Amino acid sequence: AGVAQTEKFVRDEIDQLWCANDDEKLTEADVKEKGMLEMYKCSLDIKYSFTHNNKLISHKISEYGMYGGTHGIYNAEAFTYDTNGRKLALSDLFYDSNTYKKVLSDKLKNRFKELQKQNKDYNFDSILNDITSEAVIESVPFIITPNSITFLFSETHGLGYGVGEVE
């Protein structure tokens, strides 16, 4: 389960690939003339992994793309299915739909605070309530690991490009 969605994600990312050094956009002579560095060449690194048990399978796809700027862009997607091939939402994993979002929000706030203590370059204070809101939690890709639920936060959730993936 999930092979078609995984393939679609990868194909969509490749289709969207545009670089400052695309042949029809910018020639090598243009790059040299404008003083652009080799690092401005584009690249796309896509990684795939999965975890499973006798009830679930989670697919994780992460990508880091350099599209011609000073830094790349990180993105992640995940799909979790039951053994019948039904794609699961976060709410499908909990009996009590009224409290699980609050519990997860509190746990995520604590996790971001731990990360901030570990690395003083991270400052989540201004966005902490936004990125751990109950509405955002429902939209963040997740995978099931043997001991936990792992949320795949990325730049699209308001984190800076230097943070990368926060699990």
Side-chain angles (χ1 to χ4, degrees):
V3 174
Q5 280 187 290
T6 301
E7 180 182 2
K8 181 182 179 330
F9 176 86
V10 171
R11 289 187 186 282
D12 287 349
E13 290 301 306
I14 291 169
D15 287 345
Q16 293 176 31
L17 188 61
W18 177 90
C19 303
N21 65 333
D22 280 350
D23 291 339
E24 70 246 23
K25 309 269 193 255
L26 198 61
T27 66
E28 191 171 336
D30 291 333
V31 171
K32 287 180 181 174
E33 180 182 319
K34 295 178 184 194
M36 299 176 123
L37 302 173
E38 284 292 310
M39 67 180 250
Y40 285 91
K41 290 191 173 181
C42 82
S43 65
L44 180 61
D45 181 30
I46 298 176
K47 295 180 180 171
Y48 168 79
S49 63
F50 69 94
T51 59
H52 66 90
N53 60 30
N54 61 348
K55 296 181 182 180
L56 304 170
I57 182 169
S58 287
H59 303 271
K60 174 184 166 187
I61 309 156
S62 57
E63 61 113 343
Y64 185 82
M66 289 292 294
Y67 303 102
T70 56
H71 60 80
I73 297 173
Y74 175 81
N75 189 27
E77 189 57 76
F79 314 104
T80 298
Y81 295 86
D82 66 14
T83 54
N84 296 319
R86 181 176 67 106
K87 185 176 178 185
L88 300 176
L90 191 58
S91 59
D92 295 327
L93 304 175
F94 298 92
Y95 292 114
D96 185 356
S97 62
N98 295 322
T99 58
Y100 82 90
K101 289 181 193 176
K102 171 82 171 103
V103 170
L104 290 176
S105 176
D106 291 345
K107 287 186 177 290
L108 285 169
K109 282 180 186 175
N110 290 335
R111 179 65 179 129
F112 278 108
K113 287 176 183 176
E114 287 173 20
L115 289 170
Q116 191 165 300
K117 284 180 186 173
Q118 292 170 11
N119 187 335
K120 299 296 182 197
D121 291 337
Y122 297 167
N123 185 348
F124 301 117
D125 291 340
S126 63
I127 61 169
L128 190 59
N129 288 329
D130 291 337
I131 62 175
T132 59
S133 72
E134 293 179 11
V136 169
I137 288 172
E138 279 293 318
S139 70
V140 175
F142 69 93
I143 59 171
I144 305 299
T145 61
N147 299 314
S148 67
I149 298 172
T150 300
F151 291 91
L152 306 174
F153 285 88
S154 65
E155 293 172 53
T156 58
H157 298 101
L159 302 178
Y161 74 87
V163 175
E165 184 173 303
V166 178
E167 295 187 0

